[in-house]
Amino acid sequence: MKKDPIIERACTWSLNTIIWSYHSAVIIQTGIKEEGRKFQSKELKKLLDHISKGHIPYQQSLLTYLIYYLGACFENFKINDVKKRVNDETVENLINAFFDTAKRYSKDKSIGYQPCIIEVNNKKYDFNKKIINAHLPNLTKADIKNISSWFVNNYKTAEPISKIFIGAGHYFNLENTGYMNQVAGPGKSNTTALLELLPGNFEKFAGTGLRKDIALRLSYLYMNEAYSPRLHEHYVNNTLKKSKNVIKYAKGKWITFFLKK
């Protein structure tokens, strides 16, 4: 069955943003993609081992990436004047759509943003599947219902949830209503400029998890690092019926991109 294009857009936007974050924060940071650089076998093995484990903080951020996606999706409903209630049934359906999209990305390399290929010392290494499969936890229907109920009951009042939910919507709105076009013009891409672009329109998104001093393109990394531990703590302390799978995939270790700087 064909997916609602509004939901499809939020699914692909969220996954692409997360994959871009992994590519930038894990792969590029090693220097392994520097043009013309040659590596000794021991050094290369160390770098590849680091990259091969770089998906773990993403994989163990289940609640973070689902809330991030839900924020984008509900913002896209608003942009398209579609009224959707934040209730258990809607959220369950949206979460299932996210995982369905991740499955398609995993099965078909031609779908979505899949940049995590390294060519070094005349050999190619493909890490796309690792980061995509990191967003395919083995959840049951009961697990998804459990996450949905927790989210619906707390997204307005629990700060770590609302910060990511509003923050992702804020970012999605800026990217999808023309704000980012000011960098290089419509349909163009200037990577350096985009990495320097700071978010705006804060007055429209009270409670956003974005920060005025952190580049828009780095905001998933920031929100994951800042709020994942608190999300996990909130889930453990405020959910009567806890899911072992949810705890397993939301317990960290989480992204520490800014703490390392």
Side-chain angles (χ1 to χ4, degrees):
M1 189 173 74
K2 193 172 181 180
K3 202 178 266 90
D4 181 332
I6 295 173
I7 298 171
E8 174 82 359
R9 172 61 182 148
C11 287
T12 57
W13 180 87
S14 303
L15 276 168
N16 289 345
T17 302
I18 292 166
I19 294 165
W20 184 92
S21 298
Y22 165 81
H23 177 253
S24 301
V26 178
I27 295 176
I28 296 296
Q29 290 292 314
T30 66
I32 202 169
K33 293 186 80 171
E34 287 180 20
E35 191 174 346
R37 187 173 171 187
K38 297 291 182 181
F39 296 87
Q40 297 297 319
S41 58
K42 188 179 285 187
E43 181 187 13
L44 180 59
K45 184 178 183 302
K46 185 178 178 181
L47 293 178
L48 292 172
D49 183 61
H50 170 77
I51 292 168
S52 72
K53 294 173 182 172
H55 68 285
I56 294 172
Y58 295 81
Q59 180 176 323
Q60 295 181 181
S61 304
L62 171 68
L63 297 174
T64 306
Y65 66 73
L66 287 181
I67 294 167
Y68 184 82
Y69 154 66
L70 290 169
C73 201
F74 278 100
E75 182 59 30
N76 205 20
F77 288 137
K78 287 181 187 176
I79 290 170
N80 287 277
D81 295 320
V82 174
K83 298 192 184 304
K84 284 278 185 180
R85 291 183 59 200
V86 183
N87 58 31
D88 287 24
E89 182 181 5
T90 298
V91 173
E92 283 175 40
N93 288 337
L94 293 178
I95 291 174
N96 281 316
F98 177 87
F99 291 134
D100 286 345
T101 303
K103 283 178 189 173
R104 285 170 44 224
Y105 272 43
S106 182
K107 290 177 181 177
D108 188 345
K109 288 185 179 182
S110 70
I111 295 174
Y113 181 64
Q114 303 205 19
C116 305
I117 298 173
I118 300 162
E119 186 169 358
V120 59
N121 292 3
N122 299 316
K123 187 175 178 181
K124 284 188 177 181
Y125 302 87
D126 190 343
F127 290 98
N128 284 301
K129 203 148 194 171
K130 268 190 178 287
I131 186 61
I132 293 163
N133 287 353
H135 296 84
L136 284 171
N138 189 24
L139 299 185
T140 65
K141 289 182 180 179
D143 293 329
I144 292 172
K145 283 182 178 292
N146 179 271
I147 295 168
S148 301
S149 295
W150 169 77
F151 173 79
V152 169
N153 291 335
N154 295 286
Y155 81 101
K156 287 184 178 179
T157 56
E159 186 189 46
I161 303 176
S162 65
K163 286 286 187 183
I164 296 172
F165 182 71
I166 298 170
H170 185 179
Y171 183 1
F172 186 91
N173 181 279
L174 292 175
E175 185 165 311
N176 289 272
T177 56
Y179 179 80
M180 293 182 77
N181 286 342
Q182 68 181 261
V183 175
K188 300 179 184 177
S189 178
N190 182 322
T191 303
T192 302
L194 286 171
L195 279 169
E196 294 173 352
L197 180 66
L198 298 175
N201 298 355
F202 278 79
E203 68 283 355
K204 295 180 182 178
F205 292 90
T208 180
L210 301 190
R211 274 178 46 171
K212 294 181 179 180
D213 60 338
I214 290 178
L216 197 53
R217 278 292 179 100
L218 301 178
S219 58
Y220 178 75
L221 296 171
Y222 168 71
M223 288 193 286
N224 187 301
E225 182 176 305
Y227 299 112
S228 291
R230 292 171 60 193
L231 280 181
H232 178 255
E233 181 182 17
H234 186 278
Y235 177 83
V236 170
N237 292 336
N238 294 277
T239 308
L240 293 176
K241 190 175 180 181
K242 298 172 184 57
S243 160
K244 289 182 180 178
N245 272 336
V246 174
I247 292 172
K248 175 183 176 182
Y249 289 112
K251 68 180 180 180
K253 55 185 181 181
W254 303 287
I255 292 171
T256 55
F257 180 77
F258 290 94
L259 286 173
K260 288 178 180 176
K261 291 188 175 294

